[in-house]
Amino acid sequence: MFKLRMILVMLIFAALMIVPAPGFTSTYLIGTGIYDITGPAAECGMMGYFMPDQVTEGIHTRLRSRAFVVVDPRSGKRVALVIAEAGIIPQGINQAVVKKLLTKYNGLYTDQNVTISATHTHSGPGAYSHYALYNLSMFGYDEKHFNTVAEGIYQSIVRAHNNLRPGDIRINRGELNHCGWNRSSLAYEENPDEEKARYNSNTDKTMTLLRFVATDGSDLGTVNWFAVHPTSVGNTNKLISGDNKGYAAYLFEKQIGTNYAAADTFVAAFAISNAGDVSPNIYWGYPNGVDDYEHMKIIGECQYYKAIELFNEADVNLAGSVDYRHMYVDMSNQSISPAFMPPDHSGAGKTCVAAIGASVLAGSTEDGKGIDIPEGLTYPYDISVLGNPYKLAFTISPLDQQCQGKKPIVLPTGRIKFLGIPMTPEVLPVQILKIGNLAIIAMPTEITTMAGRRLQETVMNALGDQVDYVVIAALSNAYAEYVSTYEEYNVQHYEGASTHFGPYTLNAFQEKFDYIARAMKNGVSVSPGPTPRDISGSQLIKIPGVAYDDKPLSKSFGSVETDAAASYTRGQTVSVTFWGGHPKNNYQIQKTFLKVEKITPTGAVTVANDWDPETRYYWKRSGTANSKITIEWDTTDAVPGTYRIRHYGHWKSGWTGAITPYEGVSRTFTVH
């Protein structure tokens, strides 16, 4: 830890200030936008670790959608890129956002030119997928949360569209060490020696950053891609958090002075790339629930400081046209030509109906450990390890098992159906955005280090001299677990066991991305492919809202139960508990559940909100329908003075169903 801290201190001295961009001639129209997508802060299962007892109980930081629109003024072609602080982007979210955009803009934005990527935080609320597997641990579907995420993403794109202005896009790349480690190194080592020898690490350490600058020299925003999982905060956490990538984005935006309430403000997005086997935790071991936030800060800070460095030194402009290609592919039924099969294979191959393997139950050992079994269970295997997995409510097809090869099927997600709908999607989007000489691969899965390298190489070769840079935007537009290499798949670690469509899944994706990349290079269209099903109206198990709120007879909503002390020494934590309403009544979108106010001669000044990491908003059930709201504030960085803490919320009447706002405020206290 001390070694990492010293590295960060050195980086701070190298990058304390954001350097203004010099003037230059604009190439594109550029717009940026940001909007709140924070969901239910209480009593909603969290997305990522699939732990039934991991249910939201408050907020560490709010979650946001960050959008970038780029228009080629010569051709009129445009693309919209969104980085959303969410665990996944279910296909239904993509469909809902595009539908809203089609209605508002009459075809200007479609599924062809809109990419929506998740940062993959594992500390956000779930229950917003239309496919059953991803709602299982939450015990249902939360329509209000789904609509909040879709609306927030849509609003971020609307803001980016409204903020379009002439400008340029600068690109920079650099290596970032000590900020992620391969959690499945044994699987990585199965890749060919000559291939591994081409790289200096078993993770992708390259950060690629774009700097968006207006013609007047003002900075509009930035986005970068770097391969590390946002799993610093473990599966015992119950506070909503953007994890390490959200923290890095917060630090960058705070440095610039982003105003989250403004329609036009600077936007900094930290996106995920080929991080399927990259953990932030190897240095410390499995998250222990005690030091998680400290470790999250270290991994967030290292990304933040590298991004500042690349941002300040970005002096190469992207140049060239804006373009895109998109198609849908039934990944359960793809024939793969010999040209895209592994080198030691003769003939063609095929993909399989979706299924997950036994090693999924082990979890990703360093990030989200499951039951106490080892990774690497291959077919055939000793069923005594698990007990007989076939004594279930479904059977495993011998043909499916044959297709899946080394993966011992424990859950055939493509065969198990509710109302005729499989547990996971099989029709997936394949998309490339081109902004000048940069190609962005929109991948609807998580993807391992080497699998990502192969896919990038495929697209680079197909596009030829049209591009100089290729990045992977993982977890984009839909979600279907993992993609590993053929070699990694056959040892069946967590990533291979989570590769739904069999050992040749990557090969199938390579062939399809090659096809659309060559179509882009040659200026020809592609077949749209099969239309994915819209199952928004087929959600049988819906999570109910709040029935009503109550409080002790002698109290009012917003009454203080436990007040602040009269004074604190800097570094101490202030804690105030209020009688409140359930946070599901109103998510406080684009607002806050709390404010820390400094008392000055001219009035109260807000110094922290519920998105600032020095605060914590906690919810706890008390009795049948009472809610206790505890707000904490870490005073380590506080300026000496007099303060108070204010709480905002809403309560629901059990008689009329009316939802009414309330406020509560603590005593004033001093920090010295």
Side-chain angles (χ1 to χ4, degrees):
M1 174 185 283
F2 292 110
K3 183 178 179 181
L4 285 173
R5 281 294 191 191
M6 287 301 296
I7 292 170
L8 292 175
V9 168
M10 293 171 65
L11 286 170
I12 291 171
F13 283 104
L16 281 175
M17 298 296 293
I18 302 295
V19 179
F24 49 83
T25 304
S26 62
T27 307
Y28 305 102
L29 297 178
I30 303 163
T32 62
I34 187 169
Y35 206 82
D36 193 345
I37 58 170
T38 309
E43 296 190 312
C44 180
M46 301 182 84
M47 170 62 73
Y49 294 115
F50 292 97
M51 302 288 285
D53 61 344
Q54 190 186 19
V55 179
T56 55
E57 291 185 359
I59 295 176
H60 166 241
T61 55
R62 282 193 169 264
L63 307 180
R64 303 190 188 274
S65 173
R66 295 170 170 89
F68 306 85
V69 171
V70 179
V71 183
D72 185 338
R74 292 152 296 192
S75 67
K77 280 194 171 182
R78 67 184 58 214
V79 295
L81 171 68
V82 177
I83 311 301
E85 289 179 337
I88 63 173
I89 298 299
Q91 197 161 61
I93 289 289
N94 182 274
Q95 291 169 324
V97 172
V98 169
K99 185 176 180 179
K100 288 172 177 285
L101 291 169
L102 286 170
T103 299
K104 184 172 181 65
Y105 295 111
N106 195 30
L108 201 59
Y109 300 96
T110 70
D111 54 4
Q112 298 283 316
N113 64 345
V114 174
T115 296
I116 307 172
S117 298
T119 62
H120 199 38
T121 176
H122 284 44
S123 292
Y128 61 101
S129 173
H130 289 156
Y131 282 94
L133 181 67
Y134 306 120
N135 293 338
L136 278 181
S137 66
M138 301 95 186
F139 306 109
Y141 168 71
D142 189 328
E143 187 168 16
K144 182 178 178 181
H145 182 208
F146 175 93
N147 290 335
T148 297
V149 175
E151 179 67 15
I153 292 171
Y154 163 73
Q155 289 293 345
S156 69
I157 297 173
V158 169
R159 287 185 167 192
H161 173 90
N162 291 339
N163 294 334
L164 282 168
R165 70 201 72 180
D168 250 325
I169 304 171
R170 296 188 166 193
I171 189 167
N172 201 3
R173 277 185 158 174
E175 298 294 298
L176 176 55
N177 296 303
H178 309 292
C179 204
W181 299 266
N182 198 303
R183 70 187 186 193
S184 288
S185 56
L186 292 177
Y188 179 90
E189 286 302 317
E190 292 297 309
N191 293 305
D193 290 339
E194 62 273 18
E195 183 178 35
K196 290 181 294 182
R198 295 166 52 195
Y199 305 101
N200 60 11
S201 173
N202 63 2
T203 65
D204 190 340
K205 297 185 179 297
T206 302
M207 177 181 282
T208 301
L209 177 139
L210 303 181
R211 179 176 181 174
F212 300 90
V213 188
T215 52
D216 63 3
S218 61
D219 287 307
L220 306 177
T222 182
V223 59
N224 70 74
W225 292 267
F226 181 71
V228 67
H229 255 82
T231 49
S232 298
V233 183
N235 61 22
T236 59
N237 168 65
K238 295 186 178 182
L239 299 183
I240 293 173
S241 174
D243 209 288
N244 56 64
K245 287 189 177 290
Y247 184 64
Y250 167 85
L251 292 175
F252 206 120
E253 288 168 346
K254 185 176 182 179
Q255 172 73 30
I256 295 290
T258 296
N259 180 355
Y260 293 123
D264 186 3
T265 191
F266 183 90
V267 176
F270 284 69
I272 196 168
S273 57
N274 51 326
D277 52 0
V278 185
S279 168
N281 297 318
I282 306 301
Y283 187 84
W284 300 280
Y286 188 73
N288 59 17
V290 177
D291 303 307
D292 295 7
Y293 280 102
E294 178 64 22
H295 298 163
M296 178 272 295
K297 287 182 178 180
I298 293 171
I299 298 300
E301 285 169 356
C302 71
Q303 292 176 79
Y304 161 61
Y305 288 121
K306 188 64 181 181
I308 286 180
E309 175 191 327
L310 295 176
F311 186 89
N312 285 339
E313 296 175 359
D315 58 3
V316 176
N317 286 349
L318 290 181
S321 63
V322 171
D323 206 353
Y324 48 85
R325 289 296 184 278
H326 175 287
M327 68 181 300
Y328 287 106
V329 178
D330 183 350
M331 284 300 298
S332 69
N333 187 30
Q334 288 302 304
S335 295
I336 304 154
S337 64
F340 287 90
M341 290 292 286
D344 58 343
H345 286 59
S346 60
K350 65 175 184 176
T351 57
C352 314
V353 175
I356 60 177
S359 291
V360 166
L361 302 177
S364 54
T365 306
E366 293 76 16
D367 291 341
K369 188 175 180 180
I371 64 176
D372 193 18
I373 62 170
E375 293 182 80
L377 296 175
T378 57
Y379 183 84
Y381 69 107
D382 181 0
I383 63 175
S384 66
V385 174
L386 295 175
N388 189 342
Y390 303 113
K391 291 180 180 177
L392 300 169
F394 50 83
T395 59
I396 305 298
S397 162
L399 290 177
D400 284 351
Q401 183 60 74
Q402 181 182 5
C403 184
Q404 292 281 352
K406 290 287 188 178
K407 178 200 293 178
I409 298 172
V410 295
L411 192 64
T413 61
R415 297 291 186 196
I416 302 173
K417 297 183 178 182
F418 304 93
L419 300 179
I421 302 165
M423 298 182 73
T424 54
E426 78 283 15
V427 176
L428 297 174
V430 172
Q431 182 190 44
I432 298 174
L433 304 184
K434 189 177 86 70
I435 304 174
N437 50 330
L438 165 71
I440 302 170
I441 300 171
M443 188 68 179
T445 70
E446 302 176 59
I447 185 168
T448 64
T449 299
M450 192 63 85
R453 287 167 172 168
R454 292 182 189 178
L455 186 56
Q456 287 173 297
E457 188 172 30
T458 294
V459 171
M460 179 71 83
N461 290 339
L463 287 173
D465 59 5
Q466 286 199 359
V467 298
D468 299 299
Y469 311 91
V470 178
V471 295
I472 289 178
L475 296 106
S476 291
N477 302 328
Y479 184 68
E481 299 283 346
Y482 278 74
V483 170
S484 66
T485 68
Y486 172 81
E487 295 83 359
E488 293 163 353
Y489 179 93
N490 283 333
V491 296
Q492 283 294 293
H493 276 225
Y494 178 81
E495 296 79 13
S498 301
T499 299
H500 279 194
F501 304 106
Y504 305 118
T505 300
L506 172 62
N507 308 87
F509 272 116
Q510 285 179 278
E511 184 161 13
K512 292 304 178 184
F513 274 107
D514 177 83
Y515 168 66
I516 65 171
R518 292 186 186 280
M520 178 182 288
K521 180 181 180 181
N522 296 324
V524 298
S525 61
V526 299
S527 167
T531 302
R533 62 178 69 83
D534 182 347
I535 53 176
S536 55
S538 303
Q539 304 306 304
L540 291 179
I541 304 174
K542 295 186 178 181
I543 297 174
V546 178
Y548 68 98
D549 288 295
D550 205 355
K551 56 178 179 52
L553 287 174
S554 61
K555 304 293 183 180
S556 301
F557 288 103
S559 293
V560 175
E561 170 69 3
T562 304
D563 214 336
S567 66
Y568 296 86
T569 302
R570 280 182 61 182
Q572 290 184 304
T573 297
V574 181
S575 180
V576 182
T577 300
F578 300 87
W579 290 104
H582 201 292
K584 274 189 174 182
N585 292 324
N586 187 305
Y587 297 168
Q588 293 292 99
I589 296 297
Q590 290 292 106
K591 298 178 183 177
T592 181
F593 282 109
L594 68 91
K595 284 185 178 180
V596 179
E597 298 175 331
K598 189 173 191 294
I599 309 303
T600 73
T602 57
V605 177
T606 300
V607 298
N609 297 278
D610 65 7
W611 58 80
D612 291 297
E614 64 265 31
T615 67
R616 297 286 192 278
Y617 166 88
Y618 293 97
W619 172 90
K620 280 290 185 185
R621 172 77 67 199
S622 177
T624 302
N626 297 348
S627 293
K628 282 188 176 181
I629 308 298
T630 298
I631 293 170
E632 293 183 353
W633 177 45
D634 180 354
T635 65
T636 298
D637 297 322
V639 175
T642 302
Y643 295 86
R644 68 188 177 202
I645 290 178
R646 190 178 296 277
H647 164 51
Y648 301 89
H650 291 73
W651 66 274
K652 182 175 182 179
S653 168
W655 296 101
T656 67
I659 294 176
T660 304
Y662 69 86
E663 291 185 23
V665 64
S666 75
R667 67 185 296 179
T668 58
F669 55 89
T670 59
V671 176
H672 56 86

